[in-house]
Amino acid sequence: MNGYAGRWLRVDLGSGKSGVEALDEKRARRYLGGRGMGARILLDEVPVGCDPFSPENRLVFAMGPLAGTFAPGAGRFVVLAKSPATDGFGEAYTGGFVAHELKYAGYDGIVVQGTAAEMVYLAIVNDRVEVRPAARLAGRGTLETEEAIKTELGDRETKIVSIGLAGEKRVRYACVMNDTDRAAGRTGLGAVMGAKNLKAVAIRGTGRATLADPKRFREFALANLAKIRKHPWLGNSPGSAGALGTAGGVEDLSNSGILPTRNWETGAWDYADRISGTAMKNTILIGHRACQACPVGCTRVVRVADGPFGGVRPEYGGPEYETVAAFGSLCENPNLESIALLNQRCNAYGLDTISAGSAIAFAMECVEKGILGEREIGFPLAWGDAPAMVRLLDMIAKREGIGDLLAEGVRRAAAQIGRGASELTVEVKGLEFGMHEARGKKGLALSYATAPRGADHMEGFHDPSLAVPNAWPELGVTEVMDRFTLEGKPRAVRLAEDYTSFINSLPICSFMSLTVGGIRNTEEITGMLAAATGWNDLTFDEEMAMGERAYNLARAFTVRESGGRADDRLPAKLARRLRDGASREQVIADKDFAP
Ligand code: SF4
């Protein structure tokens, strides 16, 4: 089958057996790959009410028809399982080099079921699949794990997905790491991998992707590339994602009053310039990296040799926007070197930086309000106290002291603490907010409240992108919309979510779908997909239907497993006014969604 490897690998860690399942074209065209395929598998195979840490939960690694090609941003895959953070649909996207390697090994995805009796890793070399002992890797960081496995297998080209200590300890926001500096960050899937006693998956493939029409594919891919190069944020301008990383816009966000600050008390911060992409470039940045088939290279590479936050190594990359905001403004910490160290520890432990920073900021506000004290924490924890943040992060990963409670995520931690702590949490369905202020982006608030995986900043659109005429002409979203209103937004949110869901089912890097910046590439994406698969009658409408189907499957899983509509709730904190800045006085609450 063109575009696809046409095979999925299934591994049962309980029995140690593996097998290959054929993918037929009808199923491929219905669910595409990535989210669509993964959501279908979770709905079909995970028993209703299943404990996320039980052997019955599935851990899915899903690629799609563009993996292994030079389509821009195609080095993308998604990890899925029932989430231990939300008890609903769990998924997390990552880039790097694994997606291509798995396609070259001859698979479109992997389903892992069961639990190994001892810690193991999975070694896949084309058709040879082995479950190997990994007890000696217990407690090791992700870089050490990668190095040890590459040495054992004797092949430096092996691509590796792994967990660190946080996954082994079942921290509910442990992530799955790959290629050392890439994270499938959200919804705690590293903890599912840890519960299965699966330390890593090592992949080596020597095949290639097959394309139905290579010449036509090349034409569309090059046309797409030309548009990306012209794009104001992805091209070669001094403020581009390649030059400044995703943290390039920190100061603009603060100026717009939507930089999450002091555990969401305000959206403007006097020290934004200290943690921005420009500050990073002028201090600790030593380079940048790109995922496979990416012309942009937004991944930062930083080094901090010595000093109180020294020992930051380039292998672990560097902090991107979400990390900079979560460990910076959200905790009122202007020390960029400490943020780089916290980022490195998260990558080594396998911890989601968004949820980890949110847990620390939540604890800081609990201390400020007298809900927690030095007796519970074990040391003073003031806003901006970077050494205390590093100490607390270590305790979370090791589940020591108060870290054991914070490892549960802010919703569960607040419920246990009581004394009004739940008033200080900012999450939906148990997933902490991405670093985007919904009181200054009202359409995003609707997306946060209803998205299948909880407060998901990657699901819909971000309102400033609609503040220009003709923002999404293919979707019929042409009118200018104010970021502070909900007027006209529900329809736009739904359409944006369907398109995003299509992109996530391909999957390609969401930046490459050019949904902001005034340059559109829907025709090129359709052209690449049609030329790869041979689906020459493919239309944009069919892609939207694929996206809608995938979204509905994901949403159905969450409704089936957790609170359904009753849990489509915004946190109480968002009904309180933002304190300062250009979004000052803004609020948003569930009642605002009433028709
Ligand atoms: S833009 Fe960034 S995240 Fe996306 S593919 Fe390129 S390097 Fe990876």
Side-chain angles (χ1 to χ4, degrees):
M1 185 168 40
N2 288 311
Y4 292 87
R7 307 190 312 168
W8 272 66
L9 177 64
R10 182 177 295 271
V11 180
D12 186 334
L13 292 175
S15 66
K17 292 191 175 143
S18 63
V20 167
E21 295 168 5
L23 171 68
D24 69 67
E25 188 154 5
K26 192 169 164 212
R27 184 173 167 92
R29 192 152 179 176
R30 192 161 174 76
Y31 302 112
L32 197 54
R35 166 183 267 192
M37 204 68 81
R40 181 74 266 172
I41 291 167
L42 292 190
L43 262 177
D44 289 346
E45 298 189 19
V46 176
V48 177
C50 163
D51 177 348
F53 294 142
S54 74
E56 286 73 35
N57 199 4
R58 299 294 192 262
L59 183 67
V60 179
F61 301 88
M63 288 66 182
L66 298 183
T69 75
F70 56 92
R76 192 88 163 162
F77 70 100
V78 55
V79 187
L80 308 100
K82 179 172 178 177
S83 164
T86 66
D87 283 324
F89 182 70
E91 67 170 359
Y93 295 84
T94 176
F97 298 84
V98 167
H100 281 52
E101 201 69 26
L102 194 74
K103 177 68 75 68
Y104 299 154
Y107 308 99
D108 295 307
I110 308 170
V111 180
V112 179
Q113 60 193 59
T115 297
E118 304 280 341
M119 185 167 283
V120 296
Y121 80 92
L122 196 56
I124 302 166
V125 183
N126 298 322
D127 285 341
R128 198 175 78 231
V129 179
E130 289 176 274
V131 178
R132 289 178 161 234
R136 73 190 193 293
L137 299 176
R140 298 248 201 130
T142 52
L143 177 58
E144 279 178 276
T145 299
E146 285 202 10
E147 288 300 317
I149 290 175
K150 283 179 183 173
T151 302
E152 179 172 307
L153 296 178
D155 188 344
R156 303 293 306 169
E157 293 303 313
T158 302
K159 307 299 183 294
I160 295 175
V161 175
S162 69
I163 57 167
L165 183 63
E168 294 174 36
K169 293 282 185 183
R170 303 186 187 185
V171 175
R172 286 186 189 269
Y173 43 91
C175 63
V176 175
M177 297 295 301
N178 63 284
D179 304 296
T180 311
D181 64 358
R182 307 305 312 176
R186 309 244 61 200
T187 66
L189 304 176
V192 174
M193 199 159 152
K196 292 191 175 303
N197 263 330
L198 181 62
K199 181 69 177 173
V201 181
I203 302 159
R204 184 74 174 104
T206 54
R208 53 197 281 272
T210 55
L211 300 170
D213 187 340
K215 183 168 172 288
R216 213 164 142 67
F217 183 88
R218 184 179 161 79
E219 284 166 10
F220 279 112
L222 290 179
N224 194 18
L225 194 58
K227 285 192 170 177
I228 291 165
R229 292 217 159 106
K230 269 194 227 145
H231 191 273
W233 186 62
L234 298 171
N236 291 324
S237 71
S240 69
L244 298 181
T246 52
V250 164
E251 286 166 274
D252 287 344
L253 290 174
S254 180
N255 292 338
S256 300
I258 46 177
L259 178 68
T261 303
R262 204 177 173 94
N263 199 30
W264 305 92
E265 285 295 298
T266 180
W269 194 40
D270 288 345
Y271 299 97
D273 61 332
R274 301 238 197 127
I275 62 167
S276 68
T278 303
M280 204 183 305
K281 187 177 176 198
N282 293 337
T283 54
I284 58 176
L285 190 78
I286 60 166
H288 67 122
R289 281 199 280 267
C291 304
Q292 194 146 4
C294 171
V296 176
C298 74
T299 307
R300 303 295 85 185
V301 181
V302 301
R303 176 185 285 138
V304 181
D306 41 36
F309 305 107
V312 176
R313 303 170 55 174
E315 291 92 329
Y316 281 108
E320 41 99 32
Y321 166 69
E322 302 291 334
T323 309
V324 153
F327 289 130
S329 54
L330 198 71
C331 297
E332 291 208 323
N333 169 29
N335 187 311
L336 196 50
E337 293 190 352
S338 74
I339 294 169
L341 182 63
L342 287 157
N343 177 68
Q344 172 164 301
R345 297 250 170 128
C346 281
N347 286 355
Y349 286 136
L351 268 176
D352 175 21
T353 58
I354 296 175
S355 291
S358 300
I360 292 173
F362 161 75
M364 285 172 162
E365 193 172 3
C366 282
V367 170
E368 180 190 44
K369 301 264 186 325
I371 295 169
L372 291 175
E374 207 172 317
R375 192 168 59 84
E376 288 94 349
I377 305 278
F379 46 88
L381 184 67
W383 294 108
D385 184 345
M389 290 173 66
V390 176
R391 197 168 163 189
L392 193 52
L393 187 83
D394 288 342
M395 291 167 70
I396 290 170
K398 295 172 183 169
R399 278 191 174 271
E400 288 175 356
I402 191 78
D404 189 32
L405 185 61
L406 295 174
E408 291 291 291
V410 298
R411 178 187 273 204
R412 287 179 171 87
Q416 282 194 48
I417 293 167
R419 304 191 291 278
S422 292
E423 292 289 307
L424 311 183
T425 60
V426 179
E427 49 79 23
V428 174
K429 299 181 177 68
L431 187 73
E432 292 79 9
F433 270 39
M435 293 295 114
H436 305 272
E437 175 51 74
R439 282 165 288 191
K441 297 181 178 183
K442 298 284 168 64
L444 182 66
L446 183 55
S447 221
Y448 273 153
T450 56
R453 65 175 184 173
D456 190 342
H457 66 285
M458 300 295 286
E459 191 72 67
F461 61 81
H462 287 240
D463 298 59
S465 69
L466 302 188
V468 293
N470 238 9
W472 290 61
E474 310 89 333
L475 304 181
V477 179
T478 52
E479 65 274 41
V480 175
M481 295 190 203
D482 187 296
R483 68 185 170 97
F484 293 128
T485 76
L486 276 166
E487 206 175 317
K489 301 277 177 74
R491 180 176 155 276
V493 167
R494 186 180 66 76
L495 292 170
E497 287 177 342
D498 288 348
Y499 189 64
T500 301
S501 206
F502 160 68
I503 293 295
N504 286 342
S505 297
L506 277 170
I508 58 171
C509 170
S510 51
F511 294 147
M512 300 300 154
S513 64
L514 306 191
T515 51
V516 295
I519 295 179
R520 318 292 307 170
N521 64 348
T522 47
E523 275 179 34
E524 287 75 13
I525 288 174
T526 305
M528 288 189 300
L529 180 55
T533 56
W535 301 339
N536 295 325
D537 56 346
L538 183 72
T539 62
F540 181 72
D541 285 349
E542 184 181 350
E543 291 172 346
M544 287 295 283
M546 287 170 172
E548 183 183 15
R549 185 177 299 120
Y551 182 94
N552 288 344
L553 291 170
R555 171 84 188 164
F557 187 88
T558 287
V559 169
R560 191 189 82 175
E561 294 297 321
S562 55
R565 279 191 180 174
D567 214 10
D568 289 344
R569 307 288 302 267
L570 289 173
K573 205 172 223 209
L574 267 66
R576 298 199 286 275
R577 288 181 169 79
L578 269 171
R579 215 192 276 169
D580 309 299
S583 301
R584 189 168 177 265
E585 300 291 311
Q586 288 294 322
V587 294
I588 181 88
D590 298 328
K591 66 178 173 47
D592 297 324
F593 299 143

